[in-house]
Amino acid sequence: MDFDGAAEILRAWSEGLTPDPDLTVSQWADRHRMLSGRASAEPGRYRTARTPYMGEIMDRLSPGDPTQRIVFMKAAQVGATEAGNNWIGFAIHQAPGPMLAVQPTVELAKRNSRQRIDPLIDESPELRERVKPARSRDAGNTMLSKEFAGGILIMTGANSAVGLRSTPARYIFLDEVDAYPASADEEGDPVTLAEARSLTFAHRRKLFLVSTPTIRGMSRIERDYEASDQRRFFVPCPHCGAMQWLKFERLRWEKGQPETAEYHCEGCETPIAEHHKTAMLEAGEWRATATAADPNTVGYHLSALYSPIGWLSWERIVRAWDAAQGSDEAIKAFRNTILGETWVETGEAPDWQRLYDQRERWKPGTVPAGGLFLTGGADVQKDRIEVDVWAWGRGLESWLVDHIVIEGGPDRHEAWGELTDLLGRTWPHERGAHLNIARLAIDTGYEAPAVYGWARAQGFAQVSPVKGVEGFNRASPVSGPTYVDATEGGKRLRRGARLWTVAVSTFKAETYRFLRLARPTDEDMAAGAGFLPGTVHLPHWVENEWLKQFVAEQLVTVRTKRGFARLEWQKLRERNEALDCRVYARAAAWIAGADRWTDEKWRDLEDQLGVADASADPAGQINRQAPTSQGKRRSDWLGRRGGWF
């Protein structure tokens, strides 16, 4: 070896024989992970010390740890998704194998690939060496798959059964599982389908389930967390050293002064200022608070109270809590996204007699001033078609405008003709305009081919066939449309009807919540008070039978065969068409876009009808000034033509 360059050869040979360091996921992230400005608010080298509570969770994902299932029920924006991405990078570099990463939908999977996975690979030299660069003719690196030596990363959506059963997977990352649909292409629970991909890897498999929770009894992440050892992150009091996990009820402040928020220690009751949080997190540790049903599963829960300094402060949490008061929806969002806890949905049926007493008088067949557009919900029965027409205003305040029963079932041609005539009918508005049904949602549960054929003949701009599915989905209670194959005259249609899928539990619970809203007294209204957003107004002509149908179901908790609790709507009486029609009409409003309209859009509708914005009136009342003839003609045309949508 006595020649020039011998030392270099020996050094290179020695380095080649040296095995890669045995790193955990957190150690790998600290050494190799770079956060891109495209995907992070804090670009630069990843530091586990920034979110100390993620250290143990990531290390459970390391091959040297025997844990097979890691469950993380958490608040929004605490670093969970980045921890999952660290795991992906670690697997590519240190422990290659087939990996499946699942987002709620295929579209979200594509977005995650562009915004997070591509920067993850681009910013790390170790990963760039192992993942082929994206080229048009190279199938090894596409939007939803990344090949590397010894493995492949497949990204898909929980709504795609094909993607979930595409390949065996040693590693499975299930992100935001509570936003998954109840069934993937009607082939079963997406989580179950995904987990089945890992069974052949036995004890070597790793599953990471992450989500912000949703509704008690329906939340997948809560179900799995409760079956785990239910770990909480205990931190020491800087004054007495008592270890405790942070609870919102111990965060206290002066009324109207969120900036005074301090945490009160369970041990010594001494107020803890937020600047102590960094040291508290560094000294924190995860502790199990229950015995796991499965010894191979560990579960973690974390609220935004632990958010590092510079992220979500205690003051901002208090401001969010104060702002949420008076709104069940806002409080639910607070519990889900900030406390990382489930929301208890109250589905007790309101008393129909109370609704009877709350009926209001306005001219029959007329749209009250606050109603800005109409939708209809049609329920097809064996011997009739029932249709309810609802008017909608700001804040989803609603008025029942009409109830129509078309005699004869779907096999009666004249019944479809009467339903067609209903689409062209108009209802007078209190301001003088005439409105037609902007969108009609019709149920396909009975005689779907006949419904599809009629809807196709009318056109899908005004008619939306819908299919109800059980379960809650607050993020997107209506999904679609999807093209449904249908036959007409024995021929297969190239593109079938456009079918929308409706999470009926979401809209039923919302309706019951709106029915429970407090109403202003005559004295309150004389003083300028108005109705709360979401208030349901029922006319004096509505009959007892309709009211009984409107509250014909209640939400109950039932136990599955595996012993898990879930929520289920059960009938209190046989007929419930009024509630079903309300759900379909509400879905039609969602499809029309009412849930996503800006204040400018609502103001435009009010201008078209000659209705002043009630929010601009100090008394909170509708301006009763009559519209100009020009405004009347314009709103007439828009109502007839469906021009608002």
Side-chain angles (χ1 to χ4, degrees):
M1 300 295 292
D2 188 14
F3 57 87
D4 291 343
E8 286 296 315
I9 293 174
L10 287 173
R11 185 186 60 80
W13 181 66
S14 176
E15 287 181 356
L17 293 176
T18 303
D20 290 334
D22 185 15
L23 302 176
T24 64
V25 173
S26 66
Q27 291 170 340
W28 180 91
D30 288 339
R31 182 176 298 191
H32 298 292
R33 179 78 196 278
M34 296 294 293
L35 297 173
S36 167
R38 286 189 291 161
S40 174
E42 297 182 357
R45 185 168 296 280
Y46 182 91
R47 295 182 299 117
T48 303
R50 187 76 171 108
T51 53
Y53 46 78
M54 293 308 308
E56 178 179 320
I57 297 175
M58 287 191 287
D59 291 346
R60 291 286 182 179
L61 297 166
S62 306
D65 191 284
T67 308
Q68 295 178 24
R69 298 176 84 254
I70 298 89
V71 178
F72 190 19
M73 183 170 76
K74 49 81 179 183
Q77 304 299 318
V78 294
T81 299
E82 288 301 342
N85 293 337
N86 290 340
W87 181 38
I88 291 174
F90 172 88
I92 294 173
H93 184 200
Q94 296 281 307
M99 188 173 208
L100 180 64
V102 183
Q103 294 288 326
T105 66
V106 173
E107 187 58 37
L108 286 175
K110 292 178 180 178
R111 185 187 307 172
N112 184 70
S113 177
R114 291 191 302 267
Q115 297 180 352
R116 293 182 179 270
I117 302 305
D118 286 346
L120 164 71
I121 296 170
D122 293 342
E123 298 294 329
S124 172
E126 291 76 16
L127 300 184
R128 286 201 308 270
E129 291 177 0
R130 288 161 174 79
V131 179
K132 298 177 181 179
R135 294 192 299 270
S136 59
R137 295 185 179 180
D138 185 1
N141 185 347
T142 66
M143 176 135 350
L144 294 178
S145 69
K146 310 290 182 183
E147 288 186 8
F148 49 91
I152 184 173
L153 169 65
I154 300 292
M155 293 165 280
T156 189
N159 59 339
S160 171
V162 173
L164 294 175
R165 63 168 184 259
S166 59
T167 183
R170 178 183 176 184
Y171 308 121
I172 298 179
F173 179 22
L174 304 175
D175 199 10
E176 290 301 337
V177 297
D178 271 19
Y180 289 4
S183 180
D185 294 335
E186 301 185 1
E187 293 193 20
D189 176 48
V191 173
T192 303
L193 292 176
E195 287 201 39
R197 300 293 90 206
S198 67
L199 296 178
T200 56
F201 289 91
H203 65 281
R204 296 186 298 133
R205 69 175 186 154
K206 292 282 184 179
L207 294 96
F208 189 27
L209 292 85
V210 178
S211 190
T212 301
T214 49
I215 298 172
R216 177 77 54 84
M218 298 295 293
S219 172
R220 288 186 175 95
I221 199 69
E222 181 191 50
R223 178 191 65 193
D224 284 300
Y225 175 74
E226 290 185 344
S228 74
D229 55 1
Q230 300 181 30
R231 299 184 177 222
R232 303 275 190 171
F233 197 65
F234 283 71
V235 294
C237 170
H239 306 296
C240 71
M243 297 294 285
Q244 58 206 288
W245 63 273
L246 303 183
K247 306 176 182 69
F248 178 64
E249 56 266 26
R250 302 203 68 82
L251 188 65
R252 296 166 189 168
W253 62 94
E254 297 292 331
K255 185 176 181 180
Q257 301 180 51
E259 65 277 5
T260 63
E262 294 179 314
Y263 192 89
H264 285 242
C265 171
E266 291 183 6
C268 64
E269 289 292 337
T270 303
I272 302 172
E274 189 165 16
H275 67 79
H276 291 292
K277 191 193 293 184
T278 300
M280 294 166 66
L281 293 179
E282 290 176 353
E285 61 183 38
W286 287 103
R287 294 181 179 179
T289 62
T291 302
D294 177 6
N296 295 313
T297 298
V298 294
Y300 300 88
H301 177 270
L302 197 79
S303 75
L305 293 172
Y306 293 90
S307 188
I309 299 293
W311 288 14
L312 185 63
S313 66
W314 289 345
E315 177 185 341
R316 287 176 58 195
I317 290 175
V318 169
R319 290 187 185 280
W321 172 254
D322 286 344
Q325 299 311 298
S327 168
D328 280 356
E329 276 296 299
I331 293 176
K332 173 191 176 297
F334 181 89
R335 294 190 67 87
N336 290 169
T337 61
I338 294 181
L339 301 186
E341 298 175 355
T342 52
W343 167 260
V344 179
E345 192 69 75
T346 53
E348 182 180 354
D351 182 6
W352 73 268
Q353 292 175 318
R354 181 173 63 84
L355 300 183
Y356 182 91
D357 294 336
Q358 291 178 347
R359 294 178 307 165
E360 304 170 34
R361 283 194 172 271
W362 67 81
K363 188 176 180 180
T366 299
V367 181
L372 302 179
F373 71 100
L374 304 180
T375 67
D379 187 22
V380 180
Q381 299 287 326
K382 182 178 180 180
D383 59 350
R384 67 195 183 282
I385 301 174
E386 298 211 11
V387 183
D388 282 341
V389 179
W390 287 86
W392 302 90
R394 282 179 177 265
L396 295 177
E397 191 173 359
S398 61
W399 295 259
L400 178 64
V401 173
D402 211 340
H403 171 65
I404 302 105
V405 179
I406 299 174
E407 297 298 337
D411 56 346
R412 178 174 172 263
H413 180 75
E414 291 78 5
W416 293 113
E418 292 180 39
L419 189 58
T420 301
D421 293 341
L422 192 63
L423 295 177
R425 177 179 165 185
T426 62
W427 286 259
H429 190 275
E430 185 178 318
R431 300 290 89 201
H434 285 77
L435 307 180
N436 73 343
I437 295 174
R439 187 169 290 270
L440 175 77
I442 181 168
D443 180 38
T444 61
Y446 183 77
E447 290 292 344
V451 176
Y452 295 150
W454 176 81
R456 192 181 305 105
Q458 307 313 311
F460 298 109
Q462 190 179 11
V463 176
S464 297
V466 296
K467 175 185 179 182
V469 294
E470 292 302 322
F472 291 84
N473 191 335
R474 297 288 176 143
S476 182
V478 182
S479 58
T482 57
Y483 287 98
V484 181
D485 289 336
T487 58
E488 190 174 71
K491 295 182 179 180
R492 181 67 60 180
L493 296 175
R494 180 176 299 178
R495 302 183 80 181
R498 298 179 186 178
L499 178 67
W500 298 82
T501 301
V502 180
V504 295
S505 294
T506 298
F507 288 144
K508 288 177 182 178
E510 178 194 78
T511 297
Y512 278 16
R513 189 166 60 254
F514 286 168
L515 289 173
R516 288 192 296 271
L517 291 175
R519 291 169 175 262
T521 63
D522 292 340
E523 292 81 2
D524 293 335
M525 296 187 72
F531 289 97
L532 293 172
T535 298
V536 178
H537 300 271
L538 301 176
H540 68 279
W541 50 260
V542 73
E543 299 176 349
N544 293 357
E545 173 61 25
W546 188 96
L547 291 171
K548 292 176 182 178
Q549 292 179 20
F550 198 44
V551 292
E553 298 185 24
Q554 67 179 354
L555 193 63
V556 299
T557 302
V558 298
R559 292 282 173 180
T560 66
K561 293 180 180 179
R562 297 175 59 190
F564 294 119
R566 68 178 180 87
L567 296 178
E568 180 180 285
W569 286 94
Q570 293 184 355
K571 289 184 179 182
L572 297 172
R573 64 198 307 273
E574 185 57 32
R575 293 192 59 181
N576 65 341
E577 294 91 320
L579 180 59
D580 284 345
C581 288
R582 162 72 183 201
V583 168
Y584 304 145
R586 175 66 179 91
W590 193 97
I591 295 169
D595 294 70
R596 302 172 294 283
W597 285 343
T598 62
D599 182 71
E600 182 180 1
K601 173 69 174 181
W602 287 107
R603 200 159 45 239
D604 182 51
L605 294 181
E606 290 166 338
D607 290 343
Q608 293 173 23
L609 292 172
V611 177
D613 181 358
S615 64
D617 185 345
Q621 302 297 313
I622 295 295
N623 187 332
R624 296 296 176 180
Q625 181 178 351
T628 64
S629 59
Q630 181 181 3
K632 179 180 182 298
R633 288 196 302 270
R634 183 185 182 203
S635 54
D636 271 350
W637 181 86
L638 288 168
R640 290 195 303 272
R641 302 287 296 178
W644 294 338
F645 309 103

